[in-house]
Amino acid sequence: MRNEKILIVEDDIDIMEVLSLTIAKAHYTVLKAISIAQGWHMAMTEQPDLILLDVNLPDGTGFELAKKIRAQSDVIIIFVTVNHFIDQKLEGFEVGADDYITKPFIPKELLARVQANLKRKAGPKKSNIIHIDNLAIHYDEKNVYKDGVLLNLFTKEKLLLFYLIEHANQVISVDQLIDHVWGRDGVADSKTVSVHISTLRRKIEDTPAKPKWIQTMRGFGYQFVHKKKSDGS
């Protein structure tokens, strides 16, 4: 049995069965919920590593649940839903989704996306802390602090920020960001990246409308601007 726990929030019995069998065969621990109320309770008490979340639930929407969970946790959230319109996908990403899979789905593809998201979140272990003005990036904790206060960053926002900082003062294309953060099999596009960059700026920049760090290089991509001091910080 793997260490990772996966919570499935789905009210359709047949789809729940397919998802459960797919996840269980890969030796993950499966947790089940059929409503927002149950999903919230399981997310808070069981602390899963990843949540497969339907949008249309009997007591509300998966967007509501994702937003509520995001206020407490950076657990990976993947929407699995019949909603395929771009506005609905963007709404999912805006409330903190890491990925979006449209029904009907191919079980092997869904499993591959689950494994890719878990692998990306684990990432390479780093033991150092980087200070950039009033920001402190703790690679060991995978957390970011501003003025000593822990920022509530979504997983994808952290991956974007870490990648941009690791390549500070280099122009990173949208395709590079998509490949690194969402993977080639993800559902991200330039709009998805733009939404995440915008929410990230609102959290780390003092003046998001005139960003100091994350600069847009029109026609090329994005750049994290950082002039290193003589002490290497």
Side-chain angles (χ1 to χ4, degrees):
M1 195 63 88
R2 296 176 189 258
N3 292 326
E4 293 96 340
K5 294 188 289 187
I6 296 179
L7 170 61
I8 303 170
V9 186
E10 170 64 65
D11 65 327
D12 186 300
I13 296 174
D14 293 333
I15 295 176
M16 173 68 86
E17 184 68 15
V18 173
L19 289 171
S20 298
L21 287 173
T22 301
I23 298 304
K25 282 182 179 178
H27 306 294
Y28 293 104
T29 298
V30 178
L31 307 171
K32 301 178 184 179
I34 61 171
S35 66
I36 288 179
Q38 287 186 7
W40 170 250
H41 176 74
M42 296 288 282
M44 293 301 101
T45 58
E46 296 291 338
Q47 297 185 339
D49 298 283
L50 184 146
I51 300 174
L52 294 174
L53 178 58
D54 188 16
V55 170
N56 303 310
L57 293 164
D59 53 347
T61 71
F63 297 141
E64 296 168 15
L65 178 56
K67 189 173 182 179
K68 193 175 178 182
I69 290 172
R70 270 290 169 263
Q72 303 291 330
S73 169
D74 68 346
V75 60
I76 299 168
I77 298 175
I78 300 178
F79 279 111
V80 184
T81 175
V82 295
N83 297 333
H84 62 277
F85 297 109
I86 186 63
D87 288 346
Q88 293 169 325
K89 290 182 179 180
L90 290 177
E91 183 177 356
F93 289 128
E94 285 173 350
V95 297
D98 296 285
D99 210 342
Y100 200 109
I101 298 172
T102 305
K103 300 173 185 174
F105 55 85
I106 299 171
K108 284 186 178 179
E109 179 189 351
L110 180 139
L111 182 59
R113 300 267 276 271
V114 165
Q115 293 171 334
N117 275 279
L118 286 169
K119 184 177 180 180
R120 275 195 290 274
K121 185 175 181 182
K125 264 284 188 180
K126 295 188 178 183
S127 59
N128 57 318
I129 300 173
I130 293 178
H131 293 276
I132 302 175
D133 294 340
N134 59 338
L135 290 181
I137 294 85
H138 291 238
Y139 282 103
D140 52 347
E141 300 177 11
K142 295 185 176 62
N143 282 326
V144 179
Y145 295 80
K146 181 178 180 181
D147 296 321
V149 178
L150 176 63
L151 297 179
N152 181 26
L153 298 183
F154 301 155
T155 300
K156 288 293 189 279
E157 291 170 348
K158 289 181 183 179
L159 291 172
L160 278 172
L161 180 60
F162 292 174
Y163 189 70
L164 287 169
I165 288 175
E166 287 167 8
H167 299 82
N169 303 313
Q170 299 176 35
V171 178
I172 306 299
S173 71
V174 170
D175 285 342
Q176 284 176 285
L177 292 175
I178 290 173
D179 285 348
H180 179 76
V181 177
W182 285 271
R184 293 182 182 274
D185 295 327
V187 295
D189 55 17
S190 60
K191 241 182 182 179
T192 306
V193 175
S194 177
V195 168
H196 281 76
I197 290 289
S198 178
T199 58
L200 180 56
R201 281 174 174 155
R202 287 200 295 269
K203 293 175 182 180
I204 70 167
E205 300 275 5
D206 292 329
T207 311
K210 295 181 179 180
K212 172 182 178 181
W213 291 307
I214 303 177
Q215 302 282 335
T216 300
M217 312 303 289
R218 297 200 181 280
F220 296 96
Y222 299 92
Q223 180 181 34
F224 189 93
V225 178
H226 172 44
K227 294 180 180 179
K228 294 185 178 180
K229 298 177 184 177
S230 59
D231 63 0
S233 63

